[in-house]
């Protein structure tokens, strides 16, 4: 096929993936990134010998990542990937705890310490989660979502039972209650809705495919963090000949010849465009509800306390927490997640230090200009309140941290909005309702030759899914270019 010119606007993981694959096809690809670094929301902070991610902190579906680097001829650039076992430690307000493993028997044993019947619940839940994955997850991820007809055609190949199962799906919380009796295990299941910035009381039970993926394919850590993966992907893309322009905030317009893309006053002509940015505004859907944002603290800790790699400290009343968040308020008792990468990776901190990524969910900011400015200004005070809540909860569970923690960075919804996230929402589109995942913005844009990639479009957020979106965008762009050549 004749080489054609393609612009990629945005250098997040989705944009980098699309750029690299299109260049591998022989196209002349230019990537415009508005900021000083690649990675989009997957950024990394280096301070005092610490290396801390500020965006995603874990990796699932590692074969998607490995396959991409192999296709780009850059397997040698991929940092080492370590599978974690245990996967995550969960602690509850009443003092109980639970640990999730890839080994379902060990997970069941841990759940049985909460209540013996929860052992059976673990086996039943994971069996149903796997069935959901086979019936709906695999067909959702194996091709771009272009409409229900194509999707249901892929589901139909799994049989009538798969189609019936998909129609019966309720909410994630209802699925949890069908298998578990304790609030503890219901909270554990409900947490996976937050992987899409959603509430377990409103999101589809289809999100049970996430714990299945973690159990079946593992939870992994990239040596050096996700930031190191971004660095490697950036080098792989350049190796394919992609021209990368940083600090080049660009616009795109369509004319009779194709697309004019680039910084204002320096636009050039391209045959196709892949936009690695949230597509809601472009698609005229800017008034739709947004998924959750978040507040992140980056901490330096003296010494190497024996903290797990991934830990969740749950709130006392999970339903109230989500009612508050989706009512536009910060939670009075927030669930706190923290990541201690040095538990697995000695390269991310000096021998006498520990770096912690600590996060709570937060409501997205209003998008109306006046309301947004007031909410953004309020975050200066709100950050201090949330910071105190996070410290209190960390110390309640890990009193050995007292006097040893220092804040070395933070990320608020305002910071996320500055990176292009609408209202600071991490995932943009809010997928509530049984058919919520199918209303996610599609990869194909509203004009010929325009495609989207990133966590705001199909199939969703998380490193491997964003890579899939970039791959789908590249395949669709290539097909368009073949037709127009």
């Amino acid at each position: 096929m004749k080489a054609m010119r393609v612009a990629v606007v945005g250098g997040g993981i989705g944009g980098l993936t699309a750029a690299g694959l299109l260049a591998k096809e022989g196209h002349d690809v230019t990537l415009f990134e508005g900021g000083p670094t690649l990675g989009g929301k997957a950024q990394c902070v280096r301070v005092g010998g610490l290396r801390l991610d500020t965006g995603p902190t874990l990796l699932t579906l590692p074969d998607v990542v490995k396959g991409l680097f192999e296709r780009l001829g850059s397997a040698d650039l991929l940092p080492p990937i370590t599978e974690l076992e245990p996967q995550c430690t969960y602690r509850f307000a009443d003092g109980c705890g639970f640990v999730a493993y890839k080994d379902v028997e060990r997970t069941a044993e841990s759940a049985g310490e909460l209540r013996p019947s929860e052992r059976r619940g673990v086996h039943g839940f994971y069996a149903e989660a796997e069935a959901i994955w086979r019936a709906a997850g695999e067909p959702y991820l194996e091709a771009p979502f272009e409409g229900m007809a194509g999707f249901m055609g892929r589901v139909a190949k799994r049989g009538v039972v798969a189609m019936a199962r998909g129609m019966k799906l309720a909410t994630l919380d209802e699925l949890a209650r069908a298998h578990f009796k304790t609030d503890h295990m219901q909270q554990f299941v409900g947490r996976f809705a937050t992987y899409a910035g959603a509430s377990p009381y409103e999101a589809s039970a289809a999100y049970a495919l996430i714990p299945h993926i973690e159990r079946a394919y593992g939870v992994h850590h990239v040596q050096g963090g996700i930031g190191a993966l971004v660095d490697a992907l950036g080098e792989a893309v350049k190796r394919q000949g992609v021209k990368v322009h940083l600090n080049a905030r660009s616009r795109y317009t369509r004319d009779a010849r194709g697309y004019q893309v680039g910084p204002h006053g320096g636009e050039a002509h391209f045959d196709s465009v892949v936009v690695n940015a949230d597509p809601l505004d472009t698609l005229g859907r800017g008034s739709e509800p947004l998924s959750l944002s978040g507040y992140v603290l980056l901490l330096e800790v003296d010494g190497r306390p024996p903290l797990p790699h991934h830990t969740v400290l749950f709130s006392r009343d999970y339903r109230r927490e989500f009612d508050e968040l989706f009512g536009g308020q910060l939670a009075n008792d927030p669930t706190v997640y923290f990541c201690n990468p040095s538990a697995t990776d000695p390269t991310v901190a000096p021998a006498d230090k520990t770096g912690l990524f600590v996060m709570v969910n937060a409501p997205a900011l209003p998008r109306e200009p006046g309301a947004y400015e007031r909410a953004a200004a309020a975050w200066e005070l709100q950050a201090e309140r949330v910071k105190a809540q996070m410290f209190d909860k960390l110390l309640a569970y890990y009193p050995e941290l007292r006097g040893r923690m220092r804040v070395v960075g933070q990320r608020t919804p305002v910071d996320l909005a500055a990176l292009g996230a609408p209202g600071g929402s991490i995932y943009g589109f809010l997928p509530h309702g049984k058919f919520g995942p199918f209303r996610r913005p599609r990869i194909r844009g509203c004009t010929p030759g325009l495609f989207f990639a990133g966590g705001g479009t199909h199939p969703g957020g998380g490193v491997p899914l964003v890579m899939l979106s970039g791959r789908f965008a590249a395949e669709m762009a290539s097909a368009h270019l073949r037709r127009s050549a």
Side-chain angles (χ1 to χ4, degrees):
M1 180 173 63
K2 182 183 73 172
M4 302 183 81
R5 302 194 69 205
V6 182
V8 176
V9 179
I13 289 174
L16 288 167
T17 300
L21 293 175
L22 284 162
K24 179 73 173 177
E25 290 286 314
H27 297 295
D28 180 0
V29 182
T30 303
L31 186 149
F32 300 94
E33 165 55 43
T37 59
L38 297 171
K41 291 189 282 289
Q43 295 292 315
C44 175
V45 166
R46 298 171 178 83
V47 55
L50 298 176
R51 182 184 177 110
L52 283 167
D53 290 318
T54 65
T57 56
L58 62 81
L59 184 70
T60 57
L61 297 173
D63 286 349
V64 172
V65 179
K66 294 174 183 176
L68 172 63
F69 276 80
E70 288 169 1
R71 287 183 65 179
L72 294 178
S74 297
D76 59 303
L77 296 177
L78 182 63
I81 296 175
T82 302
E83 185 169 353
L84 303 181
E85 186 75 324
Q87 295 181 337
C88 189
T89 297
Y90 297 88
R91 302 188 68 175
F92 304 93
D94 62 0
C96 292
F98 162 71
V99 181
Y101 299 87
K102 184 177 183 182
D103 183 341
V104 72
E105 293 296 338
R106 296 183 71 186
T107 301
E109 181 180 348
S110 182
E113 295 175 2
L114 298 169
R115 182 183 290 186
S117 65
E118 301 296 57
R119 295 174 185 266
R120 184 172 62 254
V122 164
H123 288 288
F125 169 72
Y126 277 108
E128 184 157 6
E130 181 175 7
I132 290 170
W133 164 252
R134 301 298 178 201
E138 285 183 329
Y140 188 70
L141 297 185
E142 70 184 12
F145 184 81
E146 295 266 68
M148 289 300 293
F151 171 75
M152 292 306 295
R154 295 192 294 275
V155 172
K157 294 178 181 178
R158 274 79 177 170
V160 176
V161 173
M163 296 183 70
R165 184 182 298 276
M167 295 305 296
K168 291 179 180 178
L169 288 178
T171 67
L172 188 59
D173 177 66
E174 288 171 322
L175 179 66
R177 292 175 184 277
H179 291 283
F180 296 113
K181 304 303 180 185
T182 63
D183 290 343
H184 312 85
M185 293 304 294
Q186 292 166 11
Q187 282 184 304
F188 159 70
V189 174
R191 174 192 173 233
F192 292 98
T194 65
Y195 280 45
S199 163
Y201 308 102
E202 300 289 342
S204 167
Y207 286 101
L209 64 85
I210 301 173
H212 165 73
I213 287 172
E214 292 191 349
R215 186 200 66 77
Y217 302 99
V219 171
H220 301 260
H221 171 76
V222 179
Q223 183 173 303
I226 300 299
L229 181 65
V230 169
D231 292 342
L233 185 54
E235 289 303 312
V237 163
K238 293 173 186 175
R239 183 180 285 183
Q240 288 298 323
V242 175
K243 296 179 284 295
V244 175
H245 298 286
L246 300 176
N247 294 308
R249 189 174 297 276
S250 299
R251 65 177 189 172
Y252 55 95
T253 57
R254 186 167 183 263
D255 58 26
R257 299 172 56 220
Y259 288 88
Q260 296 292 321
V261 187
H264 183 63
E267 295 91 342
H269 175 262
F270 294 89
D271 301 293
S272 184
V273 182
V274 176
V275 179
N276 184 193
D278 190 279
L280 285 174
D281 283 340
T282 301
L283 299 176
R285 298 172 58 180
S287 61
E288 294 187 15
L290 295 172
S291 61
L292 293 173
S293 184
Y295 174 65
V296 170
L297 278 182
L298 305 178
L299 304 180
E300 179 188 74
V301 180
D302 291 331
R304 285 289 180 92
L307 304 174
H309 193 118
H310 296 294
T311 305
V312 176
L313 310 175
F314 278 114
S315 63
R316 187 172 299 276
D317 187 337
Y318 214 37
R319 184 179 287 274
R320 177 182 176 183
E321 179 180 359
F322 282 95
D323 285 345
E324 290 170 339
L325 290 169
F326 283 100
Q329 305 173 31
L330 287 163
N332 283 308
D333 176 22
T335 293
V336 174
Y337 159 76
F338 72 83
C339 176
N340 170 28
S342 59
T344 302
D345 183 357
T347 72
V348 297
D352 60 344
K353 299 290 183 183
T354 296
L356 296 183
F357 169 103
V358 191
M359 178 178 175
V360 297
N361 290 315
L365 301 171
R367 304 198 66 192
E368 301 76 15
Y372 172 84
E373 291 165 3
R374 291 190 293 273
W379 255 102
E380 185 172 345
L381 293 176
Q382 290 176 329
E384 293 304 313
R385 169 195 159 193
V386 182
K387 189 185 304 181
Q389 290 175 319
M390 296 163 84
F391 270 71
D392 287 346
K393 187 156 285 192
L394 284 170
L395 293 172
Y397 288 96
Y398 300 98
E400 64 270 28
L401 295 176
R402 188 174 301 276
R404 299 167 64 181
M405 298 184 291
R406 288 181 295 280
V407 176
V408 294
Q410 69 174 9
R411 294 293 183 273
T412 72
V414 180
D415 297 317
L416 290 169
L419 289 172
S425 168
I426 296 173
Y427 304 110
F429 169 75
L430 177 62
H432 280 172
K434 177 183 290 191
F435 299 105
F438 305 108
R439 294 187 294 104
R440 183 175 293 283
R442 301 177 188 179
I443 290 171
R444 190 182 302 277
C446 49
T447 55
L450 174 64
F451 305 93
F452 294 100
T457 188
H458 174 267
V463 172
L465 299 196
V466 169
M467 285 184 171
L468 283 178
S469 79
R471 191 188 88 192
F472 292 152
E475 291 170 352
M476 296 168 79
S478 287
H480 166 77
L481 293 170
R482 283 194 297 271
R483 289 191 301 268
S484 59

